[in-house]
mmCIF file of all heavy atoms in Angstrom:
data_model
loop_
_atom_site.group_PDB
_atom_site.id
_atom_site.type_symbol
_atom_site.label_atom_id
_atom_site.label_comp_id
_atom_site.label_asym_id
_atom_site.label_seq_id
_atom_site.Cartn_x
_atom_site.Cartn_y
_atom_site.Cartn_z
ATOM 1 N N ASN I 1394 -5.885 -7.396 -1.947
ATOM 2 C CA ASN I 1394 -4.485 -7.631 -1.639
ATOM 3 C C ASN I 1394 -3.592 -6.845 -2.603
ATOM 4 O O ASN I 1394 -2.850 -7.410 -3.391
ATOM 5 C CB ASN I 1394 -4.169 -9.126 -1.702
ATOM 6 C CG ASN I 1394 -4.751 -9.867 -0.508
ATOM 7 O OD1 ASN I 1394 -5.172 -9.275 0.459
ATOM 8 N ND2 ASN I 1394 -4.773 -11.200 -0.620
ATOM 9 N N THR I 1395 -3.694 -5.524 -2.525
ATOM 10 C CA THR I 1395 -2.830 -4.663 -3.329
ATOM 11 C C THR I 1395 -1.443 -4.617 -2.697
ATOM 12 O O THR I 1395 -1.207 -5.158 -1.628
ATOM 13 C CB THR I 1395 -3.428 -3.253 -3.409
ATOM 14 O OG1 THR I 1395 -3.505 -2.698 -2.055
ATOM 15 C CG2 THR I 1395 -4.834 -3.280 -3.967
ATOM 16 N N ASP I 1396 -0.541 -3.949 -3.373
ATOM 17 C CA ASP I 1396 0.839 -3.818 -2.862
ATOM 18 C C ASP I 1396 0.871 -3.245 -1.447
ATOM 19 O O ASP I 1396 1.755 -3.584 -0.641
ATOM 20 C CB ASP I 1396 1.696 -2.965 -3.801
ATOM 21 C CG ASP I 1396 1.912 -3.627 -5.154
ATOM 22 O OD1 ASP I 1396 1.683 -4.856 -5.247
ATOM 23 O OD2 ASP I 1396 2.248 -2.934 -6.137
ATOM 24 N N LEU I 1397 -0.071 -2.337 -1.165
ATOM 25 C CA LEU I 1397 -0.083 -1.655 0.126
ATOM 26 C C LEU I 1397 -0.750 -2.504 1.206
ATOM 27 O O LEU I 1397 -0.289 -2.571 2.353
ATOM 28 C CB LEU I 1397 -0.788 -0.296 0.001
ATOM 29 C CG LEU I 1397 -0.648 0.657 1.186
ATOM 30 C CD1 LEU I 1397 0.803 0.963 1.467
ATOM 31 C CD2 LEU I 1397 -1.426 1.909 0.928
ATOM 32 N N PHE I 1398 -1.854 -3.191 0.858
ATOM 33 C CA PHE I 1398 -2.591 -3.963 1.840
ATOM 34 C C PHE I 1398 -2.066 -5.389 2.026
ATOM 35 O O PHE I 1398 -2.224 -5.969 3.123
ATOM 36 C CB PHE I 1398 -4.084 -4.087 1.411
ATOM 37 C CG PHE I 1398 -4.820 -2.799 1.484
ATOM 38 C CD1 PHE I 1398 -5.745 -2.444 0.477
ATOM 39 C CD2 PHE I 1398 -4.603 -1.905 2.526
ATOM 40 C CE1 PHE I 1398 -6.434 -1.255 0.550
ATOM 41 C CE2 PHE I 1398 -5.287 -0.704 2.597
ATOM 42 C CZ PHE I 1398 -6.203 -0.378 1.606
ATOM 43 N N ASP I 1399 -1.398 -5.905 1.056
ATOM 44 C CA ASP I 1399 -1.003 -7.317 1.060
ATOM 45 C C ASP I 1399 -0.134 -7.681 2.265
ATOM 46 O O ASP I 1399 -0.351 -8.740 2.855
ATOM 47 C CB ASP I 1399 -0.286 -7.669 -0.259
ATOM 48 C CG ASP I 1399 -0.087 -9.186 -0.364
ATOM 49 O OD1 ASP I 1399 -1.054 -9.920 -0.332
ATOM 50 O OD2 ASP I 1399 1.105 -9.595 -0.527
ATOM 51 N N PRO I 1400 0.878 -6.884 2.614
ATOM 52 C CA PRO I 1400 1.703 -7.270 3.775
ATOM 53 C C PRO I 1400 0.930 -7.426 5.073
ATOM 54 O O PRO I 1400 1.234 -8.273 5.906
ATOM 55 C CB PRO I 1400 2.720 -6.114 3.895
ATOM 56 C CG PRO I 1400 2.780 -5.506 2.537
ATOM 57 C CD PRO I 1400 1.414 -5.646 1.993
ATOM 58 N N THR I 1401 -0.107 -6.620 5.231
ATOM 59 C CA THR I 1401 -0.946 -6.702 6.439
ATOM 60 C C THR I 1401 -1.796 -7.955 6.437
ATOM 61 O O THR I 1401 -1.841 -8.695 7.403
ATOM 62 C CB THR I 1401 -1.846 -5.456 6.574
ATOM 63 O OG1 THR I 1401 -1.056 -4.282 6.475
ATOM 64 C CG2 THR I 1401 -2.581 -5.480 7.879
ATOM 65 N N PHE I 1402 -2.460 -8.209 5.318
ATOM 66 C CA PHE I 1402 -3.358 -9.388 5.262
ATOM 67 C C PHE I 1402 -2.563 -10.705 5.252
ATOM 68 O O PHE I 1402 -3.127 -11.772 5.563
ATOM 69 C CB PHE I 1402 -4.284 -9.312 4.050
ATOM 70 C CG PHE I 1402 -5.352 -8.272 4.173
ATOM 71 C CD1 PHE I 1402 -5.527 -7.297 3.226
ATOM 72 C CD2 PHE I 1402 -6.191 -8.252 5.304
ATOM 73 C CE1 PHE I 1402 -6.533 -6.321 3.355
ATOM 74 C CE2 PHE I 1402 -7.147 -7.296 5.443
ATOM 75 C CZ PHE I 1402 -7.332 -6.334 4.473
ATOM 76 N N ARG I 1403 -1.309 -10.670 4.900
ATOM 77 C CA ARG I 1403 -0.464 -11.849 4.984
ATOM 78 C C ARG I 1403 0.214 -11.980 6.352
ATOM 79 O O ARG I 1403 0.862 -12.982 6.618
ATOM 80 C CB ARG I 1403 0.639 -11.808 3.920
ATOM 81 C CG ARG I 1403 0.139 -12.041 2.482
ATOM 82 C CD ARG I 1403 1.298 -12.039 1.520
ATOM 83 N NE ARG I 1403 0.854 -12.320 0.170
ATOM 84 C CZ ARG I 1403 0.689 -13.543 -0.362
ATOM 85 N NH1 ARG I 1403 0.960 -14.596 0.412
ATOM 86 N NH2 ARG I 1403 0.283 -13.711 -1.586
ATOM 87 N N GLY I 1404 0.078 -10.978 7.175
ATOM 88 C CA GLY I 1404 0.687 -11.014 8.510
ATOM 89 C C GLY I 1404 2.189 -10.823 8.489
ATOM 90 O O GLY I 1404 2.872 -11.267 9.408
ATOM 91 N N GLU I 1405 2.712 -10.133 7.470
ATOM 92 C CA GLU I 1405 4.121 -10.004 7.339
ATOM 93 C C GLU I 1405 4.749 -8.917 8.245
ATOM 94 O O GLU I 1405 5.929 -8.941 8.526
ATOM 95 C CB GLU I 1405 4.489 -9.711 5.858
ATOM 96 C CG GLU I 1405 4.169 -10.853 4.964
ATOM 97 C CD GLU I 1405 4.403 -10.560 3.481
ATOM 98 O OE1 GLU I 1405 4.709 -9.333 3.197
ATOM 99 O OE2 GLU I 1405 4.284 -11.432 2.631
ATOM 100 N N GLY I 1406 3.937 -7.993 8.707
ATOM 101 C CA GLY I 1406 4.481 -6.971 9.607
ATOM 102 C C GLY I 1406 3.710 -5.657 9.492
ATOM 103 O O GLY I 1406 2.747 -5.546 8.736
ATOM 104 N N VAL I 1407 4.216 -4.660 10.225
ATOM 105 C CA VAL I 1407 3.573 -3.355 10.282
ATOM 106 C C VAL I 1407 3.937 -2.525 9.092
ATOM 107 O O VAL I 1407 5.062 -2.557 8.569
ATOM 108 C CB VAL I 1407 4.030 -2.603 11.611
ATOM 109 C CG1 VAL I 1407 3.466 -1.200 11.612
ATOM 110 C CG2 VAL I 1407 3.611 -3.426 12.843
ATOM 111 N N VAL I 1408 2.935 -1.789 8.584
ATOM 112 C CA VAL I 1408 3.203 -0.774 7.549
ATOM 113 C C VAL I 1408 2.853 0.588 8.153
ATOM 114 O O VAL I 1408 1.736 0.819 8.533
ATOM 115 C CB VAL I 1408 2.348 -1.049 6.292
ATOM 116 C CG1 VAL I 1408 2.550 0.059 5.264
ATOM 117 C CG2 VAL I 1408 2.642 -2.406 5.699
ATOM 118 N N ARG I 1409 3.860 1.431 8.252
ATOM 119 C CA ARG I 1409 3.666 2.807 8.828
ATOM 120 C C ARG I 1409 4.301 3.821 7.886
ATOM 121 O O ARG I 1409 5.434 3.635 7.448
ATOM 122 C CB ARG I 1409 4.280 2.863 10.200
ATOM 123 C CG ARG I 1409 4.222 4.279 10.790
ATOM 124 C CD ARG I 1409 4.419 4.231 12.312
ATOM 125 N NE ARG I 1409 5.671 3.674 12.763
ATOM 126 C CZ ARG I 1409 6.727 4.387 13.146
ATOM 127 N NH1 ARG I 1409 6.688 5.696 13.087
ATOM 128 N NH2 ARG I 1409 7.810 3.752 13.521
ATOM 129 N N SER I 1410 3.542 4.881 7.604
ATOM 130 C CA SER I 1410 4.071 5.906 6.670
ATOM 131 C C SER I 1410 3.647 7.277 7.198
ATOM 132 O O SER I 1410 2.500 7.495 7.523
ATOM 133 C CB SER I 1410 3.528 5.685 5.262
ATOM 134 O OG SER I 1410 3.909 6.739 4.443
ATOM 135 N N PRO I 1411 4.625 8.258 7.279
ATOM 136 C CA PRO I 1411 4.247 9.599 7.643
ATOM 137 C C PRO I 1411 3.407 10.300 6.590
ATOM 138 O O PRO I 1411 2.606 11.187 6.910
ATOM 139 C CB PRO I 1411 5.612 10.293 7.846
ATOM 140 C CG PRO I 1411 6.556 9.510 6.980
ATOM 141 C CD PRO I 1411 6.078 8.103 7.036
ATOM 142 N N ASP I 1412 3.565 9.857 5.330
ATOM 143 C CA ASP I 1412 2.719 10.378 4.256
ATOM 144 C C ASP I 1412 2.574 9.279 3.201
ATOM 145 O O ASP I 1412 3.497 9.035 2.436
ATOM 146 C CB ASP I 1412 3.353 11.626 3.639
ATOM 147 C CG ASP I 1412 2.424 12.323 2.641
ATOM 148 O OD1 ASP I 1412 1.496 11.663 2.169
ATOM 149 O OD2 ASP I 1412 2.627 13.517 2.376
ATOM 150 N N ILE I 1413 1.423 8.617 3.258
ATOM 151 C CA ILE I 1413 1.242 7.436 2.411
ATOM 152 C C ILE I 1413 1.325 7.768 0.933
ATOM 153 O O ILE I 1413 1.647 6.913 0.103
ATOM 154 C CB ILE I 1413 -0.083 6.755 2.772
ATOM 155 C CG1 ILE I 1413 -0.126 5.323 2.233
ATOM 156 C CG2 ILE I 1413 -1.276 7.554 2.293
ATOM 157 C CD1 ILE I 1413 0.955 4.407 2.798
ATOM 158 N N ARG I 1414 1.053 9.023 0.622
ATOM 159 C CA ARG I 1414 1.115 9.425 -0.801
ATOM 160 C C ARG I 1414 2.515 9.370 -1.371
ATOM 161 O O ARG I 1414 2.690 9.312 -2.581
ATOM 162 C CB ARG I 1414 0.542 10.844 -0.956
ATOM 163 C CG ARG I 1414 -0.926 10.959 -0.520
ATOM 164 C CD ARG I 1414 -1.346 12.412 -0.383
ATOM 165 N NE ARG I 1414 -0.536 13.085 0.623
ATOM 166 C CZ ARG I 1414 -0.792 14.361 1.015
ATOM 167 N NH1 ARG I 1414 -1.743 15.052 0.452
ATOM 168 N NH2 ARG I 1414 0.003 14.917 1.920
ATOM 169 N N GLU I 1415 3.522 9.383 -0.474
ATOM 170 C CA GLU I 1415 4.916 9.334 -0.897
ATOM 171 C C GLU I 1415 5.463 7.906 -0.889
ATOM 172 O O GLU I 1415 6.581 7.675 -1.316
ATOM 173 C CB GLU I 1415 5.782 10.192 0.034
ATOM 174 C CG GLU I 1415 5.364 11.632 0.108
ATOM 175 C CD GLU I 1415 5.455 12.350 -1.218
ATOM 176 O OE1 GLU I 1415 6.358 11.980 -2.010
ATOM 177 O OE2 GLU I 1415 4.616 13.217 -1.529
ATOM 178 N N ASP I 1416 4.651 6.942 -0.405
ATOM 179 C CA ASP I 1416 5.084 5.529 -0.349
ATOM 180 C C ASP I 1416 5.150 4.934 -1.756
ATOM 181 O O ASP I 1416 4.208 5.132 -2.554
ATOM 182 C CB ASP I 1416 4.129 4.721 0.526
ATOM 183 C CG ASP I 1416 4.673 3.362 0.881
ATOM 184 O OD1 ASP I 1416 4.739 2.498 -0.020
ATOM 185 O OD2 ASP I 1416 4.995 3.148 2.055
ATOM 186 N N PRO I 1417 6.234 4.255 -2.107
ATOM 187 C CA PRO I 1417 6.358 3.705 -3.447
ATOM 188 C C PRO I 1417 5.273 2.681 -3.831
ATOM 189 O O PRO I 1417 5.018 2.426 -4.997
ATOM 190 C CB PRO I 1417 7.755 3.088 -3.489
ATOM 191 C CG PRO I 1417 8.110 2.886 -2.045
ATOM 192 C CD PRO I 1417 7.427 3.977 -1.293
ATOM 193 N N ARG I 1418 4.635 2.085 -2.787
ATOM 194 C CA ARG I 1418 3.600 1.084 -3.050
ATOM 195 C C ARG I 1418 2.266 1.710 -3.302
ATOM 196 O O ARG I 1418 1.317 1.041 -3.750
ATOM 197 C CB ARG I 1418 3.495 0.146 -1.841
ATOM 198 C CG ARG I 1418 4.687 -0.732 -1.618
ATOM 199 C CD ARG I 1418 4.673 -1.401 -0.248
ATOM 200 N NE ARG I 1418 4.875 -0.420 0.816
ATOM 201 C CZ ARG I 1418 5.066 -0.732 2.093
ATOM 202 N NH1 ARG I 1418 5.119 -1.988 2.456
ATOM 203 N NH2 ARG I 1418 5.221 0.239 2.958
ATOM 204 N N TYR I 1419 2.148 3.030 -3.052
ATOM 205 C CA TYR I 1419 0.844 3.708 -3.199
ATOM 206 C C TYR I 1419 0.544 4.029 -4.667
ATOM 207 O O TYR I 1419 1.430 4.439 -5.408
ATOM 208 C CB TYR I 1419 0.907 4.995 -2.371
ATOM 209 C CG TYR I 1419 -0.334 5.851 -2.473
ATOM 210 C CD1 TYR I 1419 -1.512 5.534 -1.757
ATOM 211 C CD2 TYR I 1419 -0.356 6.937 -3.280
ATOM 212 C CE1 TYR I 1419 -2.596 6.327 -1.856
ATOM 213 C CE2 TYR I 1419 -1.489 7.759 -3.382
ATOM 214 C CZ TYR I 1419 -2.607 7.440 -2.660
ATOM 215 O OH TYR I 1419 -3.730 8.214 -2.757
ATOM 216 N N GLY I 1420 -0.713 3.815 -5.027
ATOM 217 C CA GLY I 1420 -1.201 4.243 -6.339
ATOM 218 C C GLY I 1420 -0.730 3.364 -7.480
ATOM 219 O O GLY I 1420 -0.723 3.826 -8.628
ATOM 220 N N ARG I 1421 -0.385 2.114 -7.216
ATOM 221 C CA ARG I 1421 0.096 1.244 -8.253
ATOM 222 C C ARG I 1421 -0.910 0.280 -8.808
ATOM 223 O O ARG I 1421 -0.659 -0.458 -9.755
ATOM 224 C CB ARG I 1421 1.314 0.454 -7.757
ATOM 225 C CG ARG I 1421 2.513 1.338 -7.418
ATOM 226 C CD ARG I 1421 3.675 0.529 -6.882
ATOM 227 N NE ARG I 1421 4.094 -0.547 -7.806
ATOM 228 C CZ ARG I 1421 5.036 -1.431 -7.561
ATOM 229 N NH1 ARG I 1421 5.696 -1.412 -6.408
ATOM 230 N NH2 ARG I 1421 5.360 -2.358 -8.457
ATOM 231 N N ASN I 1422 -2.110 0.221 -8.209
ATOM 232 C CA ASN I 1422 -3.085 -0.803 -8.566
ATOM 233 C C ASN I 1422 -4.388 -0.186 -9.113
ATOM 234 O O ASN I 1422 -4.823 0.858 -8.653
ATOM 235 C CB ASN I 1422 -3.449 -1.652 -7.358
ATOM 236 C CG ASN I 1422 -2.228 -2.395 -6.829
ATOM 237 O OD1 ASN I 1422 -1.539 -1.938 -5.922
ATOM 238 N ND2 ASN I 1422 -1.943 -3.563 -7.396
ATOM 239 N N SER I 1423 -4.889 -0.840 -10.163
ATOM 240 C CA SER I 1423 -6.150 -0.400 -10.767
ATOM 241 C C SER I 1423 -7.290 -0.785 -9.821
ATOM 242 O O SER I 1423 -7.115 -1.681 -8.954
ATOM 243 C CB SER I 1423 -6.319 -1.053 -12.117
ATOM 244 O OG SER I 1423 -6.389 -2.463 -11.974
ATOM 245 N N PRO I 1424 -8.480 -0.211 -9.923
ATOM 246 C CA PRO I 1424 -8.848 0.808 -10.950
ATOM 247 C C PRO I 1424 -8.604 2.227 -10.525
ATOM 248 O O PRO I 1424 -8.725 3.132 -11.326
ATOM 249 C CB PRO I 1424 -10.340 0.541 -11.145
ATOM 250 C CG PRO I 1424 -10.800 0.094 -9.733
ATOM 251 C CD PRO I 1424 -9.663 -0.646 -9.159
ATOM 252 N N HIS I 1425 -8.274 2.453 -9.243
ATOM 253 C CA HIS I 1425 -8.213 3.838 -8.728
ATOM 254 C C HIS I 1425 -6.815 4.449 -8.814
ATOM 255 O O HIS I 1425 -6.684 5.669 -8.887
ATOM 256 C CB HIS I 1425 -8.694 3.880 -7.292
ATOM 257 C CG HIS I 1425 -10.094 3.360 -7.090
ATOM 258 N ND1 HIS I 1425 -11.175 3.981 -7.598
ATOM 259 C CD2 HIS I 1425 -10.562 2.231 -6.463
ATOM 260 C CE1 HIS I 1425 -12.291 3.296 -7.282
ATOM 261 N NE2 HIS I 1425 -11.910 2.230 -6.601
ATOM 262 N N TYR I 1426 -5.787 3.601 -8.748
ATOM 263 C CA TYR I 1426 -4.380 4.051 -8.748
ATOM 264 C C TYR I 1426 -4.193 5.153 -7.667
ATOM 265 O O TYR I 1426 -3.662 6.211 -7.937
ATOM 266 C CB TYR I 1426 -4.002 4.592 -10.134
ATOM 267 C CG TYR I 1426 -3.985 3.504 -11.182
ATOM 268 C CD1 TYR I 1426 -5.069 3.388 -12.043
ATOM 269 C CD2 TYR I 1426 -2.968 2.576 -11.263
ATOM 270 C CE1 TYR I 1426 -5.115 2.347 -13.007
ATOM 271 C CE2 TYR I 1426 -2.990 1.558 -12.210
ATOM 272 C CZ TYR I 1426 -4.049 1.458 -13.060
ATOM 273 O OH TYR I 1426 -4.080 0.469 -13.995
ATOM 274 N N GLY I 1427 -4.608 4.804 -6.465
ATOM 275 C CA GLY I 1427 -4.524 5.745 -5.375
ATOM 276 C C GLY I 1427 -5.792 5.807 -4.601
ATOM 277 O O GLY I 1427 -6.611 4.847 -4.600
#
């Protein structure tokens, strides 16, 4: 349940990004940070 996956697993709504690398939620969680 990282910042990117958490909204989906909580059923909060759709997450859509034309380039996920530019999303502010991307790359914020250890251990991979991306």
Side-chain angles (χ1 to χ4, degrees):
N1394 287 347
T1395 61
D1396 293 342
L1397 192 58
F1398 292 140
D1399 190 57
T1401 306
F1402 288 127
R1403 287 182 178 275
E1405 294 175 355
V1407 175
V1408 177
R1409 174 161 61 100
S1410 174
D1412 189 339
I1413 197 62
R1414 299 167 299 184
E1415 304 298 326
D1416 192 289
R1418 293 166 292 190
Y1419 177 78
R1421 296 178 56 183
N1422 298 93
S1423 63
H1425 303 293
Y1426 295 100

